[in-house]
Amino acid sequence: DGGITQSPKYLFRKEGQNVTLSCEQNLNHDAMYWYRQDPGQGLRLIYYSQIVNDFQKGDIAEGYSVSREKKESFPLTVTSAQKNPTAFYLCASSIRRTQFDYGYTFGSGTRLTVV
Amino acid sequence: GQSLEQPSEVTAVEGAIVQINCTYQTSGFYGLSWYQQHDGGAPTFLSYNALDGLEETGRFSSFLSRSDSYGYLLLQELQMKDSASYFCAVRDQEGGSQGNLIFGKGTKLSVKP
């Protein structure tokens, strides 16, 4: 079955460490996105990529980095520069934007906690 | 910029009907979407309205009025499993931003027996 796989489901990071969250999709979608969700908040866009080897900053990109070397993969690195990284991270993909909205498909998320 | 407003919480009883409202401010408009998210889970796409009117999908319906910058999600015959958070979302404006989704803060629906 097609879908998006995020790993790990839970991740613990020490202060000052970089960590990488994995996101893989087999839906053949062109576009991929990373969102951050805090309790009681909506989803805020971190980075997005419309095609391979290209990505753009979202609203809260500071302290994060991404790569898009393959269509299927869009890993997110949370760097030590991110001052408050504890959150629920969601990866999504979609067919490249057309006139009609086919919706985003989300992964099951990674819950990152700084210890 | 873009902003969306929706109630933070709604409570209803099993079998009832509930309406979750969403008002938006956007510099361009490319449709209103709704997503459902159970606690700790992934958001799932429910519906999309590009034009005015009501779209029905089973027990769920979504309405849009572009002149009022307003939409709502209607859930009928509520079931316990409908307890979740519901997010409205609009596309960012055309152009360099590539039309990404902007989400509201979500409405937490609690269905009581």
Side-chain angles (χ1 to χ4, degrees):
Chain A
D1 288 339
I4 297 184
T5 301
Q6 287 187 243
S7 61
K9 190 171 179 63
Y10 298 96
L11 186 58
F12 297 91
R13 191 195 92 170
K14 292 183 179 179
E15 295 273 358
Q17 273 186 340
N18 292 356
V19 290
T20 297
L21 284 59
S22 171
C23 178
E24 303 277 333
Q25 56 101 357
N26 60 2
L27 298 164
N28 200 33
H29 284 173
D30 290 303
M32 297 187 75
Y33 312 84
W34 274 105
Y35 285 89
R36 169 182 172 140
Q37 186 175 33
D38 294 285
Q41 299 294 311
L43 285 69
R44 293 184 291 168
L45 183 64
I46 304 172
Y47 266 98
Y48 62 98
S49 169
Q50 295 291 332
I51 56 173
V52 175
N53 292 322
D54 184 65
F55 50 83
Q56 304 295 329
K57 292 182 179 179
D59 300 319
I60 56 165
E62 185 175 352
Y64 300 98
S65 66
V66 293
S67 62
R68 188 83 187 278
E69 297 176 2
K70 298 186 300 182
K71 189 176 185 178
E72 301 80 16
S73 179
F74 191 41
L76 173 75
T77 297
V78 184
T79 74
S80 57
Q82 170 49 237
K83 298 306 178 188
N84 185 23
T86 295
F88 189 47
Y89 291 86
L90 287 158
C91 179
S93 70
S94 71
I95 296 171
R96 191 168 184 179
R97 186 170 178 273
T98 64
Q99 180 182 1
F100 301 104
D101 192 331
Y102 296 99
Y104 284 15
T105 300
F106 282 88
S108 56
T110 292
R111 192 166 298 280
L112 173 63
T113 304
V114 174
V115 295
Chain B
Q2 284 77 2
S3 68
L4 299 101
E5 295 289 332
Q6 52 182 130
S8 58
E9 293 184 35
V10 173
T11 301
V13 297
E14 213 172 358
I17 298 172
V18 71
Q19 178 174 313
I20 299 174
N21 299 320
C22 175
T23 57
Y24 58 86
Q25 283 188 309
T26 59
S27 47
F29 182 73
Y30 303 95
L32 182 70
S33 302
W34 288 93
Y35 286 76
Q36 178 192 61
Q37 183 184 31
H38 288 96
D39 281 346
T44 55
F45 174 73
L46 290 178
S47 68
Y48 170 68
N49 295 67
L51 303 175
D52 291 349
L54 191 68
E55 296 279 345
E56 298 181 63
T57 308
R59 294 186 299 113
F60 292 3
S61 303
S62 57
F63 172 83
L64 176 66
S65 169
R66 289 175 295 171
S67 60
D68 296 321
S69 297
Y70 163 76
Y72 66 72
L73 180 70
L74 190 73
L75 296 83
Q76 303 182 70
E77 301 172 22
L78 280 174
Q79 302 176 8
M80 298 297 289
K81 67 178 181 180
D82 298 330
S83 292
S85 291
Y86 293 84
F87 295 88
C88 57
V90 293
R91 288 280 181 181
D92 202 343
Q93 64 180 348
E94 190 74 78
S97 65
Q98 301 290 326
N100 302 309
L101 278 182
I102 308 297
F103 287 85
K105 293 189 175 181
T107 298
K108 187 174 178 64
L109 171 64
S110 299
V111 180
K112 306 294 185 186

